[in-house]
């Protein structure tokens, strides 16, 4: 049986070694960014009441001191954008 004459492609893994300090620093930086970014985004539900009492987007409410529906919708929009950006950035990491 004749041997196949197909073009031989380069393997999908690295041919040259990576310095251990570079590999560990990449892992630690990635983990640090993950902890800092996801803690802010996924802890947003606990932060929302604090933002409402501090008066974030209070100019949207007319005469209400405890908050209104427009203020809550604006804060929910911010949370939705944060979740979207966080989820999209996780796609690049695999």
């Amino acid at each position: 049986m004749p041997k196949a004459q197909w073009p031989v492609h380069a393997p999908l893994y690295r041919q040259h070694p990576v310095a251990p300090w570079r590999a560990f620093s990449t892992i630690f930086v990635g983990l640090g960014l993950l902890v800092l970014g996801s803690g802010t985004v996924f802890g947003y539900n606990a932060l929302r009441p604090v933002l409402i009492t501090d008066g974030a987007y209070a100019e949207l409410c007319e005469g209400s001191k405890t908050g209104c529906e427009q203020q809550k919708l604006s804060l929910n929009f911010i949370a939705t954008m944060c979740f979207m950006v966080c989820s999209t950035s996780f796609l690049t990491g695999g």
Side-chain angles (χ1 to χ4, degrees), residues 7-49:
V8 178
H9 296 290
L12 297 176
Y13 56 89
R14 288 181 163 255
Q15 292 292 324
H16 59 283
V18 177
W21 65 270
R22 180 175 263 182
F24 287 125
S25 64
T26 303
I27 291 171
F28 286 128
V29 167
L31 286 174
L33 291 174
L34 179 70
V35 167
L36 292 175
S38 64
T40 305
V41 171
F42 297 116
Y44 192 77
N45 287 332
L47 182 64
R48 189 179 318 146

